[in-house]
Amino acid sequence: MSSEKCLKLQKQFISKGRLQNYTNYREYANNIKLSKDFYIPLSIVEISFRNSLNHFFMNKIGPNWLSRNDILKLDAQRNINNATKMIVQQHKLITNDNLIAELNFGFWIRLLTKAYSPYLRYNDLKLIFPNLPSSKEKKINRHFVFTKLNNIRLFRNKVFHHDKIISKEEYKNMMDEIYKILGYFDNELINITKDLNK
């Protein structure tokens, strides 16, 4: 493609506002490529976490834990109601699997906040993350895991909304952080993710 044609397409389909955070179009294109490298690991972290947390709460509270208003705080109940409406609008059945898939990453991570601390002591966390390091090795607790996953969630939102992540100091170790969380589930999950991401 000629540089003239390329320039015309840039002007037509990429807004000035989108490009103003980049030094040039090449940096913008490299940002897209870098974001692509994160897509699979981020997806697997999100899916693994929500499924592991769901299994944990099903075993601890029961299969209907998502309808337990005595346990779930008001913001979680609102998220569940909104997810239920979305499922109905999509003409799908309201099943546990569909509800779990419709609830966003933020919903699942908020279950690690202080409000749910009675359910998530260190021994509980070990059921969700079997490879979590010993609490004697380092200060591993609910807040530690929340902070790690919330940082990943904020980064994920940047990637999935096509924001600039390239050349940002705060993101330089993000792939290591993602793989560290995957390792807390199972080391084989790291290998599967790396294999898919080739």
Side-chain angles (χ1 to χ4, degrees):
M1 179 186 313
S2 72
S3 59
E4 186 179 309
K5 171 84 171 170
C6 190
L7 197 59
K8 184 181 175 198
L9 290 173
Q10 286 175 36
K11 286 180 180 174
Q12 186 175 353
F13 296 109
I14 304 170
S15 69
K16 284 183 181 177
R18 174 64 64 184
L19 287 174
Q20 73 183 6
N21 294 324
Y22 300 91
T23 53
N24 53 40
Y25 176 75
R26 184 175 300 284
E27 186 183 43
Y28 172 75
N30 287 337
N31 189 73
I32 292 173
K33 289 176 187 173
L34 180 61
S35 296
K36 178 183 71 99
D37 293 341
F38 278 101
Y39 183 83
I40 289 173
L42 286 167
S43 297
I44 292 177
V45 162
E46 183 172 348
I47 291 164
S48 300
F49 177 60
R50 76 179 182 210
N51 287 326
S52 190
L53 198 55
N54 176 58
H55 289 306
F56 166 76
F57 278 117
M58 284 180 75
N59 290 329
K60 188 165 182 99
I61 297 167
N64 66 337
W65 74 273
L66 284 168
S67 62
R68 292 282 303 271
N69 292 342
D70 57 321
I71 292 164
L72 294 167
K73 306 305 173 201
L74 202 55
D75 63 331
Q77 292 173 37
R78 274 196 294 268
N79 278 291
I80 291 166
N81 289 338
N82 290 338
T84 302
K85 287 175 189 170
M86 288 297 294
I87 293 166
V88 169
Q89 286 173 4
Q90 296 165 17
H91 306 290
K92 293 181 184 175
L93 292 174
I94 300 169
T95 64
N96 197 50
D97 285 343
N98 285 342
L99 194 53
I100 288 162
E102 193 63 46
L103 290 164
N104 64 35
F105 200 14
F107 168 86
W108 297 101
I109 289 173
R110 280 190 296 278
L111 294 175
L112 292 171
T113 59
K114 190 175 181 181
Y116 299 96
S117 60
Y119 303 98
L120 293 165
R121 305 286 185 211
Y122 177 78
N123 288 337
D124 298 314
L125 291 173
K126 282 290 281 182
L127 297 172
I128 300 163
F129 303 95
N131 285 349
L132 199 65
S134 163
S135 59
K136 291 173 185 152
E137 286 177 41
K138 44 166 64 170
K139 187 137 171 69
I140 304 280
N141 56 25
R142 175 196 48 75
H143 182 71
F144 170 86
V145 177
F146 167 80
T147 301
K148 293 258 182 212
L149 277 165
N150 199 46
N151 286 340
I152 290 171
R153 178 187 69 85
L154 294 171
F155 176 75
R156 170 223 181 265
N157 290 348
K158 293 275 185 194
V159 170
F160 286 21
H161 293 107
H162 320 292
D163 290 338
K164 184 177 181 180
I165 60 168
I166 200 166
S167 306
K168 298 264 188 172
E169 188 65 23
E170 63 267 35
Y171 303 140
K172 72 175 187 177
N173 297 320
M174 193 52 72
M175 194 66 86
D176 292 338
E177 290 296 309
I178 292 167
Y179 282 122
K180 189 177 289 183
I181 291 289
L182 288 174
Y184 289 167
F185 292 116
D186 191 303
N187 287 327
E188 190 54 35
L189 203 49
I190 295 173
N191 297 330
I192 290 166
T193 304
K194 286 183 176 179
D195 192 50
L196 285 171
N197 211 30
K198 284 179 182 170

